[in-house]
Amino acid sequence: MPGFVLLVRERNDADPSMRIGITVSKKVGNAVIRNRMKRRFRMLAREILPEAGIAGADHVLIGRNGGIERPYADLKAELAKALRRVRPKEGQ
């Protein structure tokens, strides 16, 4: 996605809870910009992960350069789309 990279890894530890990790490197901007981006990602995770996340998996959002300028609604749609892509197919 243009604003972030999503990594999902199943833990296989019989714990159904979803965990989130957020990282934004110094290449993206100064501390103010990085912290703003992390706040946006935390809000996205609170809204979308409970219904679209994968139970028992670790979700990691990695901020990209264009992420801070993207509208919140676009980031929300992109995260939902990314989670649909990584969801395991039925029967697998």
Side-chain angles (χ1 to χ4, degrees):
M1 298 293 147
F4 59 87
V5 175
L6 174 68
L7 303 175
V8 178
R9 182 180 157 272
E10 293 193 32
R11 292 190 310 271
N12 298 322
D13 62 358
D15 182 11
S17 65
M18 290 180 265
R19 298 189 307 190
I20 182 78
I22 298 170
T23 184
V24 181
S25 75
K26 287 185 176 182
K27 292 179 185 177
V28 173
N30 63 19
V32 173
I33 291 173
R34 292 193 315 268
N35 287 330
R36 184 181 309 146
M37 192 173 225
K38 287 189 265 187
R39 284 193 303 269
R40 293 179 90 191
F41 285 160
R42 278 193 292 271
M43 196 66 206
L44 284 168
R46 282 188 199 115
E47 290 182 18
I48 295 177
L49 280 185
E51 65 268 357
I54 299 170
D58 294 335
H59 302 74
V60 179
L61 283 167
I62 303 170
R64 284 187 165 176
N65 273 336
I68 197 66
E69 292 93 19
R70 297 193 61 75
Y72 186 80
D74 290 352
L75 286 173
K76 188 174 178 179
E78 290 167 0
L79 181 57
K81 182 179 177 181
L83 285 167
R84 282 192 303 271
R85 282 185 178 177
V86 298
R87 183 165 290 286
K89 305 284 188 263
E90 292 298 321
Q92 287 187 358

